Structure formats: structure tokens, C-alpha cells
Amino acid sequence: MSLKLPVYSELVKTFYSNLEIQESTLIPEVYGIKMVIDQSFFCDLTQLSSAGVPFEGTLDDDWKFDFSVHDARRLVCTNQADMTGRLLTGSLALESRILYYLIIRILLLRSSNLAQVSEKDLIVMWAFHTDRQIDWAHLVRYRMHKALRLNAPLPYPHLVTLFL
């Protein structure tokens, strides 16, 4: 469920502050050492699958005809849940609540508003429940790319430590 490596926060900050991403290749420079982590090497290091839909937080065209918010909510919620308002974690069935925790703490790391399930979280839970494949390697690289924005949280510190 997690890596048991120490995390070196200064190295993680340096990694992201000097990271370039060109297509599917990560090119960080840490203390004058430039690395090239192409898609193949990335998959070897992370053991993440690159099969499936390249999910980036919104519905992919391949899923649009199969996904409905109402059906996805019914899939992940308890029978007593309100299906109209905001989707809160208290409405989730036990299995979905555990899956949600894994999503927000490991896969799509988030540090705020943890009580409310976002549309992105709902799509990922729906994908799990309906056996849809997600290109996890693409998703992690995409999230790393989003971390290059000013004041963005730095995701996957254990993974960055593994790279270093």
C-alpha cells in the first residue's frame, strides 16, 4: 500500500523545482546531476501499468457513454445516501470509503477538503468498480506535471525518493 522509504523533503523540492517534462519523459536535475526518466524506465521503476485510459481528471471519450453521475453515486454510496447534494464521505459504502482514502492519500494526493468527494474521485471509484483500466503511469506523470505550478503541492515524495 505504500513505500517504506525515508523521504528527503529538500531533495523532493529540488527535484520538482528543476523538473522538465517533455511528452512522457521526466528530466529532473538535482544538485547538478541531470536524469532522464523516459516512459519505459518510469514504468520499470514504479511498476505502474501503462495500459488503459490516460485519465487526467475528466471523463475520457471512451467512458462518456457508460458513465452517469447518478449511477456512479449509486454504485459507491450506501442505500440511505442522499443522491442529490454534495457527495460526502459519510455517504460512501465501506468498500468505497476505503477506496476513497487510497485515492486521496496515495493515488491523487490531496490535503484539503477531504470530506467531500470530487467528480474526479467519483470517476476513479467508478472506474475501479466497473473494472475500467486507467493508465496509472500517465496519471502520475500528469499529476507531477501539475505540481510545476507556483505554490502547488508536491505529490509522490516517496516515488521521487525512489527515483533519486
Side-chain angles (χ1 to χ4, degrees), residues 54-60 108 119-121 123-124 139 142:
F55 181 72
E56 293 183 353
T58 58
L59 270 177
D60 185 80
L108 303 174
E119 182 179 344
K120 175 179 14 184
D121 304 328
I123 293 169
V124 172
L139 179 59
Y142 172 75

Side-chain angles (χ1 to χ4, degrees), residues 95-150:
E95 300 84 14
S96 295
R97 198 176 297 189
I98 293 168
L99 178 58
Y100 175 73
Y101 179 82
L102 293 173
I103 291 167
I104 64 168
R105 291 296 189 183
I106 297 172
L107 300 174
L108 303 174
L109 193 60
R110 191 165 77 216
S111 59
S112 65
N113 201 7
L114 304 180
Q116 186 171 342
V117 179
S118 71
E119 182 179 344
K120 175 179 14 184
D121 304 328
L122 182 61
I123 293 169
V124 172
M125 286 191 292
W126 170 83
F128 269 103
H129 283 294
T130 59
D131 294 324
R132 310 290 168 147
Q133 287 197 345
I134 295 175
D135 181 343
W136 292 108
H138 174 83
L139 179 59
V140 168
R141 284 190 307 272
Y142 172 75
R143 300 279 297 171
M144 291 175 98
H145 185 79
K146 286 183 70 170
L148 300 180
R149 297 173 303 170
L150 187 62

Side-chain angles (χ1 to χ4, degrees), residues 6-144:
V7 172
Y8 303 102
S9 36
E10 288 304 314
L11 286 176
V12 171
K13 289 177 193 172
T14 303
F15 176 91
Y16 278 107
S17 65
N18 297 310
L19 177 63
E20 288 180 47
I21 299 179
Q22 298 173 358
E23 295 187 27
S24 295
T25 303
L26 303 175
I27 307 170
E29 185 175 322
V30 179
Y31 297 125
I33 299 171
K34 197 171 205 164
M35 296 173 264
V36 177
I37 305 170
D38 65 11
Q39 186 171 358
S40 171
F41 188 48
F42 183 89
C43 289
D44 288 345
L45 282 174
T46 62
Q47 297 296 300
L48 291 171
S49 169
S50 62
V53 170
F55 181 72
E56 293 183 353
T58 58
L59 270 177
D60 185 80
D61 289 338
D62 293 346
W63 294 351
K64 282 188 178 177
F65 296 108
D66 298 327
F67 179 84
S68 96
V69 171
H70 181 72
D71 290 342
R73 282 179 167 222
R74 279 198 353 230
L75 193 60
V76 301
C77 290
T78 63
N79 292 335
Q80 300 84 10
D82 175 20
M83 295 293 168
T84 57
R86 293 181 304 170
L87 182 55
L88 301 176
T89 56
S91 303
L92 297 176
L94 177 63
E95 300 84 14
S96 295
R97 198 176 297 189
I98 293 168
L99 178 58
Y100 175 73
Y101 179 82
L102 293 173
I103 291 167
I104 64 168
R105 291 296 189 183
I106 297 172
L107 300 174
L108 303 174
L109 193 60
R110 191 165 77 216
S111 59
S112 65
N113 201 7
L114 304 180
Q116 186 171 342
V117 179
S118 71
E119 182 179 344
K120 175 179 14 184
D121 304 328
L122 182 61
I123 293 169
V124 172
M125 286 191 292
W126 170 83
F128 269 103
H129 283 294
T130 59
D131 294 324
R132 310 290 168 147
Q133 287 197 345
I134 295 175
D135 181 343
W136 292 108
H138 174 83
L139 179 59
V140 168
R141 284 190 307 272
Y142 172 75
R143 300 279 297 171
M144 291 175 98

